[in-house]
Amino acid sequence: MSETAESLNFIEHIVEEDLQGGYPKKALRFRFPPEPNGYLHIGHASSICLNFGLGLRYNAPVNLRFDDTNPIKEEKAFVDAIKKDIEWLGYKWDTERYASDYFQQLYDWAVEMIMDGKAYVDSQSSEEMASQKGTPTEAGVDSPYRNRSIADNLEIFEAMKNGDYQEGSHVLRAKIDMASQNMLMRDPIMYRVLHKAHHRTNTDWCIYPMYDWAHGESDYIEEVSHSLCTLEFAMHRELYNWFLDQVVVSDKVRPKQREFARRNLSHTVVSKRKLLQLVEQDVVNGWDDPRMPTISGLRRRGYSPAAIRNFADTIGIAKRENLIDVSLLEFHAREDLNKIAPRVMGVLDPVKVIITNYPEGKEEWLETENNPGDELAGNRKVPFSKEIYIERDDFKEEANRKYFRLKLGGEVRLKSAYIIKAESCTKDIDGNIMEIQCTYDPKSKSGSGTEESMRKVKGTLHWVSVAHALKAEIRLYDRLFTDESPDTHKDKGFMDFINDESLQVITGYLEPGLKDAKVGEQMQFQRLGYFCVDPDSTNDNLVFNRTVGLRDTWAKIQNK
RNA sequence: UGGCCUAUGGUGUAAUUGGUAACACAGCUGGUUUUGGUCCAGUCGUUCUAGGUUCGAGUCCUAGUAGGCCAACCA
């Protein structure tokens, strides 16, 4: 059937092998299991695309399950933000689940385990338990409570649940093997006492299950066939399977955990804990700051869902260490925006041009295309007059042939307008150019069909009529960190590499049609880059974010 | 020093499971262009090391080397 030799990642190979081994396709089910204690970031996007992509490929359901077993850090607000991000990325979950939905079932199973002699209440301090844990090369020793009677265990565990004990006084532990090579198998904690309201169960519970106990059993309850997580959980697999062994019945799907490498993005950090630190220490203005590698940050920055999905697809899924250059993400932003973003003109670093032979007070509305690569995008009109702004970079008094922008005595085309020639310029006492005097060729009007309008001129500049220009706040972003891998240094922390110049706010002069641009609207400022309207934007103060600059070959030439 | 995982161009990921090492990005050279954008064409460069099995090894075997992970009442 699949004639196209499409390449599969190793997770897809595992699923294919299971299918070939007789695993019923109908039984396939996946899940995306975020903890609602922060915002989703670009690393999660990879996991989302993997799990939901698998769902799409095999026409299998994908659950959204909030792993909400720790009320200390989790909040409803994060649940809402996570749902919004997944929907925005374009995915639909089958059912919305919460690990907290299973607290009763988990509790009942735990009671059964106690009765089977597979779990016990330990009443030591965490320090004591840690000291008994041993090291990777030395076995641990048994807790003095390890052989507490079943009756006592049952009684104390129930009292723990009922809130009769203080936090830290008791825990429920699985009775496995204190000498295991795998530290996680040395009688792991299943429950701790926590007198804290939960965002869903409120104060119903005074004990909360630990990740290892809750996660696999939740997969089992939901009949998830393939439970995919990141590499740091590889050692947890043995425990995952052990816990499943305690509860599985033969006729139900037994989930299978497999691990893949988290994706690292250059010049940023991809860790909720570290991103939280940036937010709390006001390095950025919140989780959705356009410099953040969060889904919400990228959205506000102007990235499209397709760009992020294509990026995730391109970087793939594997098991080795990786550091993906952020320029690849930027490539995908440009690739998608190039197709969908209408072109407009805006000058961000203006210098005034006076067209000396253009009639005083005259104004023309010139026709220009919205997207040269898309005929369906249509045209619009932009006003032209005697005084215009061009980019300061686009003029030099003298320059060599490689510089095909405006220079004294030279000609350029003003995009969709006329060919002009620089005659002279005036400067302030410091030598800064204040104004450029040009003449224009009245017969060279773009689209007029005249011989003069067809003339080949090497350079074409964007411009804005001074009288009609719309002032706007422009936010230019740069990488948040100066180091490509800020959190992998032995001697320094990631906070030592913060880029102080990651945000630059300037005033730009835009074509007047942009007055009605809506929040979130994306566009290309011709010759400059892709921009979008920030949520901070108001009628009185338009605010634009630069998503990403255009590829800049000229900058490369200059650097040589 | 115990266990687990990984090693393919500058980066990321593939390789019909033992049969021509490919794709994308980046780089470089041209062409087109009223965006130094887009688009088009061409080009550069790779299987950690050493042995072994085989007609044939990125893939299998042996021994190394390097990197990551593992001892929270976090997930």
Side-chain angles (χ1 to χ4, degrees):
Chain A
M1 265 192 268
S2 56
E3 194 71 290
T4 45
E6 115 194 83
S7 68
L8 306 180
N9 63 48
F10 84 100
I11 296 283
E12 290 164 338
H13 277 295
I14 288 170
V15 177
E16 286 294 330
E17 281 161 23
D18 287 342
L19 254 21
Q20 275 161 28
Y23 198 97
K25 187 163 177 249
K26 274 176 19 199
L28 254 25
R29 181 185 285 274
F30 307 93
R31 115 259 88 124
F32 175 64
E35 183 189 9
N37 68 342
Y39 280 60
L40 260 23
H41 54 61
I42 187 73
H44 294 114
S46 257
S47 177
I48 290 167
C49 292
L50 171 65
N51 284 293
F52 284 92
L54 248 11
L56 257 20
R57 164 184 279 270
Y58 295 105
N59 194 25
V62 183
N63 284 351
L64 168 60
R65 181 173 74 237
F66 290 97
D67 221 336
D68 56 350
T69 56
N70 184 1
I72 296 168
K73 298 194 290 184
E74 296 154 5
E75 294 172 22
K76 168 85 160 58
F78 292 130
V79 168
D80 297 337
I82 288 167
K83 285 163 68 176
K84 179 179 176 182
D85 287 348
I86 297 171
E87 282 175 330
W88 178 75
L89 277 175
Y91 294 109
K92 276 195 160 36
W93 51 85
D94 181 52
T95 55
E96 179 179 334
R97 306 292 189 102
Y98 294 82
S100 54
D101 291 344
Y102 313 136
F103 281 173
Q104 186 60 48
Q105 172 68 268
L106 257 11
Y107 178 80
D108 294 343
W109 274 330
V111 169
E112 280 177 36
M113 283 175 63
I114 292 173
M115 294 195 289
D116 289 345
K118 297 285 186 57
Y120 63 96
V121 173
D122 198 331
S123 307
Q124 304 180 91
S125 68
S126 59
E127 293 75 24
E128 285 170 314
M129 284 188 279
S131 69
Q132 291 157 5
K133 196 111 193 197
T135 69
T137 51
E138 298 166 57
V141 300
D142 288 359
S143 161
Y145 296 96
R146 199 169 201 260
N147 293 312
R148 176 125 74 179
S149 75
I150 289 174
D152 286 355
N153 281 325
L154 249 18
E155 188 186 324
I156 305 171
F157 186 49
E158 189 177 357
M160 284 164 65
K161 184 195 75 162
N162 292 336
D164 298 344
Y165 291 113
Q166 290 187 329
E167 292 184 8
S169 55
H170 305 280
V171 291
L172 186 73
R173 288 231 254 174
K175 191 190 282 189
I176 309 181
D177 177 10
M178 289 304 290
S180 173
Q181 300 244 32
N182 184 348
M183 300 288 291
L184 293 160
M185 299 296 279
R186 323 250 259 224
D187 289 9
I189 293 173
M190 293 171 67
Y191 279 97
R192 73 281 209 192
V193 175
L194 242 36
H195 293 282
K196 181 87 169 81
H198 184 276
H199 73 108
R200 300 198 96 223
T201 61
N202 199 6
T203 53
D204 292 354
W205 293 87
C206 298
I207 54 171
Y208 290 91
M210 300 289 288
Y211 167 84
D212 288 299
W213 169 235
H215 200 91
E217 319 311 291
S218 299
D219 286 337
Y220 180 63
I221 291 166
E222 293 176 21
E223 301 191 71
V224 166
S225 60
H226 297 261
S227 179
L228 311 172
C229 59
T230 45
L231 239 30
E232 63 267 31
F233 291 100
M235 296 300 292
H236 293 244
R237 190 149 107 195
E238 192 181 355
L239 220 205
Y240 180 98
N241 287 327
W242 189 90
F243 276 135
L244 282 181
D245 287 339
Q246 311 313 309
V247 304
V248 286
V249 290
S250 56
D251 62 338
K252 244 182 118 179
V253 169
R254 182 188 171 105
K256 183 179 201 172
Q257 174 181 305
R258 287 297 179 272
E259 312 83 17
F260 59 92
R262 58 164 6 117
R263 318 316 282 172
N264 298 302
L265 229 210
S266 78
H267 303 279
T268 190
V269 290
V270 189
S271 142
K272 269 194 277 187
R273 205 200 91 234
K274 290 167 189 162
L275 294 174
L276 174 66
Q277 211 173 319
L278 295 173
V279 172
E280 285 183 337
Q281 297 183 21
D282 294 321
V283 173
V284 295
N285 303 311
W287 285 98
D288 70 339
D289 186 297
R291 291 166 293 179
M292 290 281 270
T294 50
I295 307 291
S296 50
L298 292 167
R299 174 169 60 231
R300 187 169 173 185
R301 175 84 169 249
Y303 275 73
S304 61
I308 294 173
R309 276 188 262 113
N310 293 342
F311 170 72
D313 200 46
T314 301
I315 63 180
I317 294 290
K319 292 183 83 164
R320 52 184 128 148
E321 288 286 301
N322 59 80
L323 208 219
I324 295 140
D325 201 301
V326 68
S327 64
L328 183 59
L329 179 60
E330 292 170 345
F331 163 79
H332 284 287
R334 291 190 193 103
E335 183 189 48
D336 190 51
L337 258 12
N338 177 52
K339 289 184 287 199
I340 63 175
R343 279 72 308 193
V344 295
M345 290 197 284
V347 175
L348 301 189
D349 183 16
V351 63
K352 193 181 280 185
V353 169
I354 308 285
I355 300 164
T356 53
N357 58 338
Y358 194 84
E360 192 80 45
K362 182 177 176 181
E363 123 181 355
E364 288 181 87
W365 285 77
L366 305 170
E367 184 106 350
T368 186
E369 72 277 14
N370 289 326
N371 188 340
D374 179 9
E375 288 172 26
L376 299 173
N379 296 326
R380 71 182 185 288
K381 292 195 166 171
V382 287
F384 185 78
S385 65
K386 187 181 178 79
E387 294 190 10
I388 60 170
Y389 287 130
I390 64 167
E391 218 65 59
R392 195 161 277 278
D393 262 4
D394 286 341
F395 174 74
K396 276 185 176 168
E397 288 178 84
E398 48 190 79
N400 62 26
R401 301 125 300 261
K402 281 174 114 178
Y403 183 85
F404 37 87
R405 276 117 100 137
L406 190 61
K407 51 196 165 194
L408 287 181
E411 284 185 323
V412 292
R413 157 148 262 133
L414 293 175
K415 172 71 185 171
S416 299
Y418 298 94
I419 294 170
I420 59 170
K421 181 179 182 185
E423 307 287 355
S424 57
C425 64
T426 51
K427 299 186 234 180
D428 66 12
I429 46 173
D430 298 321
N432 300 312
I433 290 160
M434 301 304 289
E435 187 184 291
I436 305 157
Q437 294 86 36
C438 294
T439 51
Y440 84 121
D441 176 356
K443 292 185 183 144
S444 66
K445 184 170 167 180
S446 293
S448 64
T450 62
E451 198 176 314
E452 289 84 347
S453 71
M454 318 278 239
R455 272 172 57 212
K456 293 288 173 200
V457 204
K458 192 66 179 165
T460 299
L461 308 185
H462 62 279
W463 51 273
V464 167
S465 163
V466 173
H468 303 84
L470 190 63
K471 268 174 118 172
E473 177 177 331
I474 312 287
R475 298 177 182 170
L476 305 175
Y477 303 102
D478 197 358
R479 355 210 101 156
L480 237 193
F481 295 92
T482 54
D483 188 87
E484 66 168 10
S485 187
D487 55 353
T488 57
H489 292 260
K490 288 187 179 72
D491 49 335
K492 286 183 175 172
F494 70 101
M495 290 298 233
D496 296 329
F497 296 101
I498 302 264
N499 177 9
D500 301 323
E501 292 159 15
S502 60
L503 170 63
Q504 191 192 349
V505 180
I506 59 171
T507 299
Y509 297 82
L510 315 177
E511 60 174 75
L514 253 17
K515 177 169 58 75
D516 301 316
K518 305 273 185 303
V519 168
E521 211 172 306
Q522 297 153 308
M523 63 218 68
Q524 183 196 96
F525 286 7
Q526 242 163 163
R527 300 213 302 138
L528 297 175
Y530 296 98
F531 292 74
C532 73
V533 182
D534 189 83
D536 286 347
S537 197
T538 63
N539 286 337
D540 300 331
N541 185 42
L542 289 168
V543 181
F544 290 81
N545 293 320
R546 182 173 65 192
T547 308
V548 62
L550 253 29
R551 210 170 135 239
D552 192 351
T553 307
W554 172 236
K556 270 180 221 156
I557 294 168
Q558 286 180 107
N559 286 335
K560 274 192 237 169

